[in-house]
Amino acid sequence: MKIFKTRRELQSFALAEKRAGRTIGFVPTMGYLHAGHMSLIDIAREKADTVIVSVFVNPTQFGPEEDFDRYPRDFERDMALCKEHGADAVFAPETGEMYDADATTWVEEKKLSGPLCGASRPCFFRGVTTVVAKLFNLAQPDFAVFGWKDAQQLLVIRRMVRDLDFPVTVIGAPLVRDTDGLALSSRNRYLSSDERARALTIHKSLLGVRKRIEEAGNIGALETALAEARSAVSASGGRIDYVTALDLDTLEAPTPQSEGLLVAAAVFYGTTRLIDNEVIQFKK
Ligand code: PAF
């Protein structure tokens, strides 16, 4: 498995792979890999001739008060896992390598990135779309795999790819949970065992909303179901950023015409902000 530290090395490798007629599957990550990331690498491995994984904690998607400095990192373990899952190359640049010091160009999606995490983390999606656009130009992927765990991120990336004509197929991979139901996240390691036990309420509450909506087959009971979910999360000691449901296509308020719902939550336990979601498709 090759490990590239510079943008030019990665781009030369990727362009040579393309010239040789090989398809490229790409998995962008911020490292501290877990089984959720492995599932993305496995999908890329099935789809493409050459698999590239990036491991880069991207400073531009963190706000000034956020956890960029203490974001967990474990380079050796990440490399071992990538190798075990059949990655051909890993791109792991130092922070200073990724952006030119006087860079002045941003990629910004202006609609789907507005609500949910975009409302509480104003720099976040601009940082994500900018780094992912750069990574696409460097890794030249035919396929890029993103998890449904970060559902809004997946929708924003799909929109960017469509709007800017990137020749990349974006694959959404199912959210992976721990055996107790907690959505896997590199940030779970910040949780104390007590916080972790209480955080299971997020998933249980979202499942409660799913059950109510699926039983009704429409959004009639949505507000009541969301109110119950919010009460349960608050009672567990979670500080709610949002527990809400939006139209899956527009990320606007759902209507009776909505074909799908994104029921999504962002909740703090202690200082750790966790996100989770359930996607509900209506049969129309
Ligand atoms: O989902 C992530 O880990 C990051 O947002 C991504 C897509 C690697 C961009 O830095």
Side-chain angles (χ1 to χ4, degrees):
M1 185 180 80
K2 296 180 167 42
I3 299 176
F4 299 122
K5 290 282 185 186
T6 68
R7 288 183 274 167
R8 291 303 147 237
E9 282 173 309
L10 172 63
Q11 199 177 50
S12 306
F13 170 76
L15 289 171
E17 292 296 290
K18 302 292 273 199
R19 276 196 298 275
R22 285 191 275 276
T23 56
I24 296 178
F26 177 52
V27 180
T29 80
M30 295 208 301
Y32 210 72
L33 304 176
H34 51 64
H37 296 112
M38 294 308 116
S39 74
L40 310 183
I41 299 175
D42 293 344
I43 291 172
R45 187 63 285 166
E46 273 170 29
K47 284 259 171 207
D49 299 322
T50 299
V51 173
I52 302 176
V53 179
S54 65
V55 172
F56 177 63
V57 184
N58 173 35
T60 63
Q61 68 190 68
F62 288 78
E65 307 300 319
E66 293 181 353
D67 56 344
F68 173 72
D69 287 329
R70 69 177 188 121
Y71 194 84
R73 291 160 170 91
D74 191 340
F75 182 75
E76 297 306 328
R77 189 172 160 276
D78 287 350
M79 294 310 106
L81 285 170
C82 288
K83 195 166 174 193
E84 195 180 303
H85 285 258
D88 297 290
V90 175
F91 177 51
E94 298 298 328
T95 307
E97 162 62 20
M98 195 62 193
Y99 298 95
D100 288 285
D102 60 350
T104 47
T105 306
W106 293 94
V107 177
E108 207 166 356
E109 193 286 328
K110 296 283 249 183
K111 175 159 195 319
L112 302 178
S113 58
L116 305 177
C117 292
S120 42
R121 304 183 67 193
C123 313
F124 176 67
F125 284 113
R126 184 175 88 147
V128 169
T129 42
T130 301
V131 83
V132 170
K134 282 166 69 66
L135 289 166
F136 282 179
N137 284 331
L138 297 172
Q140 300 280 314
D142 297 277
F143 308 99
V145 194
F146 292 82
W148 269 105
K149 157 78 171 29
D150 300 298
Q152 188 181 14
Q153 170 172 277
L154 172 63
L155 299 174
V156 167
I157 297 290
R158 281 201 169 132
R159 179 62 60 90
M160 175 190 85
V161 161
R162 185 200 76 179
D163 289 352
L164 298 184
D165 302 303
F166 280 97
V168 179
T169 301
V170 175
I171 299 169
L175 189 157
V176 180
R177 297 184 181 281
D178 218 328
T179 43
D180 58 6
L182 191 68
L184 291 185
S185 162
S186 304
R187 289 188 167 102
N188 290 351
R189 69 155 295 175
Y190 298 148
L191 297 167
S192 68
S193 55
D194 172 56
E195 286 166 347
R196 196 196 148 92
R198 290 187 283 118
L200 299 179
T201 312
I202 305 174
H203 178 47
K204 287 186 195 142
S205 307
L206 296 184
L207 281 181
V209 176
R210 170 189 280 288
K211 188 160 177 278
R212 288 284 285 263
I213 300 306
E214 284 182 343
E215 275 167 9
N218 60 54
I219 60 167
L222 186 57
E223 279 317 316
T224 314
L226 287 171
E228 281 172 11
R230 288 181 195 119
S231 303
V233 169
S234 298
S236 74
R239 183 163 61 82
I240 294 175
D241 179 354
Y242 57 79
V243 174
T244 192
L246 297 177
D247 180 293
L248 185 60
D249 292 322
T250 61
L251 294 190
E252 291 173 356
T255 70
Q257 286 70 45
S258 293
E259 295 191 355
L261 286 186
L262 175 64
V263 185
V267 181
F268 287 89
Y269 286 89
T271 54
T272 306
R273 183 176 180 276
L274 301 175
I275 59 170
D276 199 347
N277 69 78
E278 288 290 320
V279 171
I280 303 174
Q281 301 277 3
F282 294 114
K283 291 187 191 71
K284 295 271 168 184

